């Protein structure tokens, strides 16, 4: 079992920044991938960014150039720095942890943190 605790969401004006954090605990394997998904109202959950424990990153097109994912493996924590936020970035952001080198498939989810961007 892996437990994930997210923090850092909130309300921000368009053009502003937020930094999300997600700390993992429990049965952590050294080979893992952590990532962030967003679920906007009435829409399906979609991948925003992911990063493996060996440093490989991938981003959604909407996040490229504005968001940066990073992690501290010693703390089993992943971060998402979100800059130049837009109203369409709003939603609940969920952290996900998977074993191995890809974020897809079975994994563990955090409880989610709300991000609201006002125009």
């Amino acid at each position: 079992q892996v437990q994930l605790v997210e923090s850092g969401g909130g309300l921000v004006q368009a053009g502003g920044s937020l930094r999300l954090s997600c700390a993992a605990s429990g049965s952590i394997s050294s080979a893992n991938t952590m990532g962030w998904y967003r679920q906007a109202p009435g829409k399906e959950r979609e991948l925003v960014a992911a990063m493996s424990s060996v440093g490989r990153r991938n981003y959604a097109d909407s996040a490229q150039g504005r968001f940066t994912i990073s992690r501290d493996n010693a703390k089993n924590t992943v971060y998402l720095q979100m800059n130049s936020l837009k109203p369409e970035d709003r939603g609940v952001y969920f952290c996900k942890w998977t074993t191995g080198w890809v974020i897809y498939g079975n994994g563990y989810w955090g409880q989610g943190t709300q991000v609201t961007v006002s125009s």
Side-chain angles (χ1 to χ4, degrees):
Q1 290 283 339
V2 175
Q3 295 78 43
L4 302 170
V5 178
E6 300 128 329
S7 61
L11 171 64
V12 64
Q13 287 189 330
S17 299
L18 282 175
R19 189 191 193 210
L20 307 183
S21 300
C22 173
S25 62
S27 301
I28 306 293
S29 60
S30 58
N32 63 78
T33 299
M34 297 182 75
W36 292 94
Y37 282 72
R38 174 177 62 228
Q39 188 161 21
K43 295 188 177 181
E44 293 190 357
R45 200 172 294 188
E46 59 180 4
L47 179 66
V48 176
M51 185 173 180
S52 72
S53 54
V54 293
R56 184 170 183 174
R57 296 175 172 90
N58 60 292
Y59 294 95
D61 289 344
S62 61
Q64 193 76 41
R66 298 186 299 125
F67 294 2
T68 301
I69 190 169
S70 62
R71 51 185 295 169
D72 183 336
N73 289 336
K75 296 180 179 179
N76 295 315
T77 299
V78 66
Y79 307 95
L80 185 67
Q81 177 67 43
M82 304 187 291
N83 298 328
S84 302
L85 282 161
K86 305 175 181 179
E88 52 263 43
D89 294 320
R90 75 186 187 283
V92 180
Y93 282 69
F94 294 91
C95 178
K96 184 180 181 183
W97 186 96
T98 60
T99 300
W101 309 122
V102 296
I103 194 63
Y104 304 106
N106 294 328
Y108 295 91
W109 293 91
Q111 79 285 358
T113 185
Q114 179 72 46
V115 171
T116 303
V117 184
S118 63
S119 57

